[in-house]
Amino acid sequence: MTTTEHPHGHDGHQDPTLYRTPADAVAAPGEKLAYVVGFDPAGARPDALFTVGTDPGSSAYGRVIAHAEVPGVGNELHHFGWNACSSALAHAGHHHAARRYLIVPGLRSSRLHVFDTVPDPARPRLVKTVEPGELAARAGYSRPHTLHCGPDGVPSGTGRSSP
């Protein structure tokens, strides 16, 4: 298969994990990894993104494979997702979308943490932190809660800051 062929007949996508419909996603092979967050409710230790094996045929099944801490404490990592998602970007005109960057908001801190899953999806690396002031200035948002995909993979949050 070339990088522009989708295993389910969706031409033009380089990432075979982007699907046009929920039915296409359900019919696809299962995920081999899951990303979950852990945080200290007391805010004494840094939050972290954990990678867990989800392939029943792997020795890593059900185990934490790796973790990556975010700087500081009290972030309360919350509802997160890819910079590119199937429902928003697996359509005509989005031929180079890819699930690569995990965008993880901190509910208490108002920071956005960007993790890169390339070259090793089992070991995401924190590559950027968007501070609350930058988020408010550039997007007009504070307290990012739930991320949604948008054009060009730009996340938007909920909780607009006051003018």
Side-chain angles (χ1 to χ4, degrees):
M1 172 178 356
T2 69
T3 58
T4 57
E5 293 174 348
H6 193 284
H8 300 287
H10 301 153
D11 296 334
H13 299 290
Q14 291 183 343
D15 188 332
T17 64
L18 296 176
Y19 307 100
R20 285 184 193 251
T21 68
D24 286 347
V26 168
E31 298 282 346
K32 304 231 185 269
L33 300 171
Y35 301 105
V36 296
V37 296
F39 67 92
D40 177 5
R45 296 185 318 190
D47 296 358
L49 179 70
F50 292 86
T51 306
V52 178
T54 58
D55 179 359
S58 167
S59 62
Y61 181 64
R63 299 180 187 269
V64 172
I65 298 169
H67 77 280
E69 292 183 350
V70 297
V73 295
N75 284 288
E76 192 176 344
L77 300 180
H78 204 66
H79 297 159
F80 65 96
W82 296 104
N83 69 310
C85 67
S86 298
S87 62
L89 299 174
H91 299 283
H94 294 283
H95 300 297
H96 301 290
R99 289 194 321 171
R100 177 177 178 174
Y101 296 102
L102 282 170
I103 313 296
V104 185
L107 189 59
R108 286 189 204 161
S109 69
S110 294
R111 291 183 182 98
L112 292 177
H113 305 89
V114 182
F115 288 89
D116 191 350
T117 63
V118 171
D120 185 355
R123 290 168 179 72
R125 297 172 293 114
L126 181 65
V127 294
K128 181 176 177 93
T129 300
V130 178
E131 294 295 331
E134 182 181 357
L135 179 65
R138 296 183 76 176
Y141 288 98
S142 66
R143 298 287 183 207
H145 180 268
T146 303
L147 299 178
H148 300 281
C149 300
D152 299 322
V154 177
S156 62
T158 57
R160 274 190 122 16
S161 61
S162 300

